[in-house]
């Protein structure tokens, strides 16, 4: 099965060219994470996460839901390939919030897109800090996106992707050029969505970039960040309020999720 590109374009509000160019990639990369929120309601609610093209289209395109990295970048990969882009899957080791001496497993899906002027990193599923533009794969060059400045630098046999903050550069993740295929992601997805130590099983995490900042939800803490002012943090007090935030602020349809209130109750006591 191939993804219904017309339905996907309607979902993200895209009406531009379908040519496999950098301009098309940039436009899709900007719109996708704003329209399709990062969310882990299924693993957090102990539901399975399916990665087939049909499952991704049904959930993220047609059911007003979002997903986490394997779903977001899996869908994006299928769309880009349908448009004629050459795309290869990658798997990164998350470094965000991880001490330097801790080695993390490969748990984050990213994409390498081959274009005429060289390869680009595409990633519409990094949660609280999803890039809003593709990044040229080149070392030690600051790349300005609509929200943050990012760069890559060599680390060992791969590269680390970093974001510029008020106190210096912070690593997002490390990756190399090893290609990952659908069976590889099935294994990673199973572990990430079911293992009791996975942060996506233990915590409710929802995020969406806006035109001027980022909106994030971690359990009961809703945070709105913009470059112009300090972060605004609101503590959610009830399941009804949490449902309203998910539906209103993130555009998530909860109507097909049976017994979701029990899972949302857990988020209020973490």
């Amino acid at each position: 099965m191939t993804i219904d590109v017309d339905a996907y374009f309607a979902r993200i509000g895209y009406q531009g060219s379908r040519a496999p160019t950098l301009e098309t990639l940039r436009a899709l990369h900007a719109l996708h994470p704003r329209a399709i929120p990062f969310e882990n309601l299924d693993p957090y609610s102990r539901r399975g996460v399916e990665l087939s093209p049909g499952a991704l289209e049904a959930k993220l395109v047609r059911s007003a839901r979002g997903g986490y990295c394997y779903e977001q970048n899996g869908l994006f990969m299928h769309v880009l390939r349908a448009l004629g882009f050459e795309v290869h899957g990658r798997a990164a080791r998350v470094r965000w919030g991880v001490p330097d001496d801790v080695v993390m497993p490969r748990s984050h899906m990213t994409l390498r897109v081959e274009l005429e002027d060289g390869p680009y990193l595409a990633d519409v599923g990094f949660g609280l800090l999803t890039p809003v533009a593709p990044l040229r794969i080149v070392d030690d060059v600051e790349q300005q996106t609509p929200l943050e400045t990012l760069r890559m630098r060599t680390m060992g046999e791969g590269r680390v992707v970093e974001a510029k903050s008020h106190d210096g550069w912070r690593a997002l993740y490390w990756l190399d050029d090893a290609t990952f295929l659908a069976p590889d992601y099935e294994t990673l997805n199973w572990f990430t969505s079911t293992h009791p130590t996975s942060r996506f099983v233990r915590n409710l995490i929802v995020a969406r970039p806006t035109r001027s900042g980022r909106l994030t939800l971690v359990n009961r803490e809703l945070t709105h960040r913009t470059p112009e002012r300090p972060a605004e943090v609101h503590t959610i007090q009830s399941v009804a309020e949490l449902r309203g935030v998910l539906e209103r602020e993130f555009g998530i349809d909860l109507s097909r999720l049976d017994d979701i209130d029990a899972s949302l109750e857990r988020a209020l006591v973490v």
Side-chain angles (χ1 to χ4, degrees), residues 35-112:
I36 306 177
F38 183 96
E39 52 108 329
N40 69 321
L41 282 166
D42 285 344
Y44 187 67
S45 303
R46 309 301 194 265
R47 293 177 171 85
V49 176
E50 296 185 48
L51 300 183
S52 69
L56 295 176
E57 180 179 303
K59 180 180 176 182
L60 277 68
V61 176
R62 301 188 183 278
S63 298
R65 287 288 307 281
Y68 69 169
C69 71
Y70 305 114
E71 299 168 285
Q72 297 278 4
N73 284 318
L75 173 65
F76 202 50
M77 178 175 65
H78 290 303
V79 170
L80 293 179
R81 286 177 173 171
L83 295 176
F85 287 92
E86 180 182 348
V87 187
H88 305 281
R90 297 289 186 262
R93 301 182 190 275
V94 174
R95 301 303 314 158
W96 183 261
V98 177
D100 292 342
D101 60 344
V102 174
V103 178
M104 298 295 289
R106 294 179 189 261
S107 63
H108 176 59
M109 180 180 183
T110 70
L111 305 174
R112 177 184 172 114

Side-chain angles (χ1 to χ4, degrees), residues 39-270:
E39 52 108 329
N40 69 321
L41 282 166
D42 285 344
Y44 187 67
S45 303
R46 309 301 194 265
R47 293 177 171 85
V49 176
E50 296 185 48
L51 300 183
S52 69
L56 295 176
E57 180 179 303
K59 180 180 176 182
L60 277 68
V61 176
R62 301 188 183 278
S63 298
R65 287 288 307 281
Y68 69 169
C69 71
Y70 305 114
E71 299 168 285
Q72 297 278 4
N73 284 318
L75 173 65
F76 202 50
M77 178 175 65
H78 290 303
V79 170
L80 293 179
R81 286 177 173 171
L83 295 176
F85 287 92
E86 180 182 348
V87 187
H88 305 281
R90 297 289 186 262
R93 301 182 190 275
V94 174
R95 301 303 314 158
W96 183 261
V98 177
D100 292 342
D101 60 344
V102 174
V103 178
M104 298 295 289
R106 294 179 189 261
S107 63
H108 176 59
M109 180 180 183
T110 70
L111 305 174
R112 177 184 172 114
V113 184
E114 306 290 346
L115 294 173
E116 288 187 1
D117 65 333
Y120 280 74
L121 171 70
D123 182 1
V124 294
F126 193 61
L128 306 186
L129 204 65
T130 295
V132 291
L135 301 176
R136 191 159 57 95
I137 299 179
V138 59
D139 288 336
D140 303 317
V141 175
E142 294 189 13
Q143 301 187 51
Q144 182 65 50
T145 77
L147 293 181
E148 290 93 17
T149 300
L150 302 171
R151 75 176 182 186
M152 300 181 193
R153 63 181 179 87
T154 296
M155 177 180 286
E157 297 181 356
R159 289 184 172 89
V160 63
V161 179
E162 298 176 322
K164 196 173 189 178
S165 67
H166 65 278
D167 56 355
W169 291 93
R170 297 187 64 187
L172 304 186
Y173 47 78
W174 176 97
L175 74 166
D176 59 12
D177 285 333
T179 297
F180 279 63
L181 305 175
D184 303 314
Y185 292 124
E186 288 289 351
T187 302
L188 298 177
N189 174 59
W190 175 81
F191 182 91
T192 306
S193 64
T194 64
H195 197 277
T197 65
S198 170
R199 67 180 307 214
F200 297 112
V201 173
R202 296 167 62 93
N203 298 282
L204 176 62
I205 303 172
V206 189
R208 182 175 66 83
T210 67
R211 292 186 179 276
S212 60
R214 294 186 179 275
L215 194 64
T216 62
L217 174 71
V218 179
N219 296 316
R220 66 188 303 173
E221 300 295 327
L222 178 67
T223 304
H224 186 206
R225 292 182 175 85
T226 62
E228 294 80 19
R229 60 178 184 268
E232 300 175 0
V233 181
H234 172 69
T235 301
I236 294 170
Q237 301 296 331
S238 67
V239 168
E241 183 183 4
L242 182 52
R243 287 185 66 105
V245 166
L246 293 170
E247 293 170 340
R248 182 180 63 255
E249 301 293 344
F250 296 99
I252 297 173
D253 182 0
L254 302 176
S255 63
R256 296 182 177 89
L257 298 179
D258 296 334
D259 300 323
I260 188 61
D261 285 357
S263 295
L264 299 184
E265 184 72 41
R266 286 172 46 222
L268 298 179
V269 297
V270 171

